[in-house]
Amino acid sequence: MSTRAGIVVTGTEVLTGRIQDQNGPWLADRLLELGVELAHVTICGDRPADLEAQLRFHADTGVDLLITTGGLGPTADDLTVETVARFCGRELMLDAVVEEKIAAILRTMMGRIGPNETGAGMTDFEAVRAANRKQAMVPAGATVLDPVGTAPGLVVAGTPTVVVLPGPPRELQPMWRRALTTAEVQRAIAGRTHYRQDTVRMFGLPESRLAETLRDARERIPGFDALEITTCLRRGEVEMVTRYEPAAAPSYAELVELLIERHPREVFSTDGALVDEQVAELLRGRRLAVAESCTAGLLAARLTERPGASAYLAGGVVAYANDAKTDLLEVAPALLESFGAVSEPVAEAMAAGVLRRFGADTAVAVTGIAGPGGGSPDKPVGTVCFAVLLDDGRKAARTVRLPGGRADVRERSTTVALHLLRRALLEAAPAGA
């Protein structure tokens, strides 16, 4: 790998864990897509000496591209630009064009708020403009990336070339795409290797069994060592990401064939598609309703993460208490007494009730014990029951024991529910559809 990069995430709030870093992982994925090797991701607080030490650490490792995130605002602790200028040996200068762009953004923002009661809107604007002038100070010779919020980004050519990006992901992500178009960044990554990257997703497959299959693949498939494979458990699914040069495509194709041959039920996506996307496609022309107890709306929330969900999701009922199950979903009290709230018969009754309530043709129900209390020897914490019901009478029910704490059980329950729904919809689909 001839091109390497480093990332410095700044912000005391990130360093101390008050805010989770989203930028480092996102940028890491983008660099991998480009064929740029990521050497390190480091995090430091809002202290110039610490930031400069991080910049020097990355430079000493020989990276070609160094990306910083955060610390571009107008306040006293936003010192990234000043520190990068010192690191690069550049003088800070006021850029009048940048200042006017920031002023135009501020005018628009203040116009939405309107003048204050004293009518001192213009005075207020000049004060705000002065307070934000700091953001128009740029290192001499740097390329300015137009702001998405109020803070511009920067590209400073050198060894390494430094890309300075804002902290908020909604600002950083479009600005990164702009940075890639600059001549400075293109020169810095000119030696990158062009890779393909593909993802296979599996559900219900223990990582140990996947590891066994990969060991066999190493012995059976010529050129297997040219495949750079990483696996991880994400939302209860096994995700396998493989990066390879185009010449190794036949080896990767053989690997996928072997995975499907060994694990035909568990491999559900070979093109990187999420189960969420597959379910959304299968629900075209259908009307879905959900009934939730232990997940308390998390399944409905996940179903609506994708735009356009209103085309197939009619609605849902959170029936946490038993009387809610009986009143809202018409679950028979006798079922609750005989089997308990966490049982397949109750899950099936919840699905039937929500199907009727919304006039839907497809229903999913979830009821379980997320913990940390409430378990019993027969139904320990993590026991979750699911049911899917279609209006043609087809139904499926399943009980699982999910590992982890309360949040893990609730999140993984949404994954199990989506996979149960996906399988039912596939079985109901007309042949050849």
Side-chain angles (χ1 to χ4, degrees), residues 7 12 41 66 119 127 180 185 190 277 282 335 349 362 415:
I7 300 171
T12 301
V41 179
L66 181 50
L180 281 179
V185 171
E277 298 167 334
L282 290 166
L335 281 179
T362 310
T415 298

Side-chain angles (χ1 to χ4, degrees), residues 42-186:
T42 60
I43 302 175
C44 69
D46 297 308
R47 294 177 292 271
D50 292 343
L51 174 54
E52 189 162 356
Q54 294 301 310
L55 295 173
R56 296 201 178 282
F57 163 76
H58 285 276
D60 289 345
T61 67
V63 298
D64 305 282
L65 186 68
L66 181 50
I67 306 165
T68 72
T69 76
L72 303 189
T75 59
D77 62 340
D78 292 315
L79 298 169
T80 299
V81 172
E82 177 184 331
T83 306
V84 167
R86 185 166 56 250
F87 168 75
C88 295
R90 306 288 185 95
E91 181 183 356
L92 273 180
M93 304 179 66
L94 179 66
D95 188 315
V97 174
V98 173
E99 183 183 17
E100 188 50 47
K101 287 181 179 178
I102 295 172
I105 294 170
L106 293 170
R107 286 191 189 94
T108 300
M109 292 171 61
M110 294 188 69
R112 297 193 187 113
I113 300 172
N116 61 28
E117 293 179 359
T118 65
M122 186 55 67
T123 302
D124 288 349
F125 171 75
E126 290 303 327
V128 171
R129 175 172 179 155
N132 281 269
R133 185 166 288 122
K134 173 185 176 183
Q135 295 180 107
M137 300 294 293
V138 303
T143 296
V144 177
L145 305 172
D146 285 345
V148 177
T150 60
L154 300 169
V155 179
V156 186
T159 307
T161 291
V162 182
V163 178
V164 180
L165 300 174
R170 67 182 182 280
E171 298 179 21
L172 176 143
Q173 293 176 13
M175 196 174 286
W176 166 248
R177 289 187 279 271
R178 294 177 190 173
L180 281 179
T181 66
T182 65
E184 294 88 345
V185 171
Q186 287 298 310

Side-chain angles (χ1 to χ4, degrees), residues 212-245:
E212 181 182 344
T213 298
L214 292 178
R215 284 194 294 271
D216 290 347
R218 184 180 296 277
E219 301 298 324
R220 293 177 48 173
I221 298 175
F224 178 87
D225 289 339
L227 305 177
E228 184 179 321
I229 300 171
T230 58
T231 64
C232 70
L233 190 65
R234 192 188 303 274
R235 270 186 164 177
E237 299 168 345
V238 176
E239 177 184 273
M240 188 186 84
V241 179
T242 306
R243 193 170 60 145
Y244 55 94
E245 294 186 43

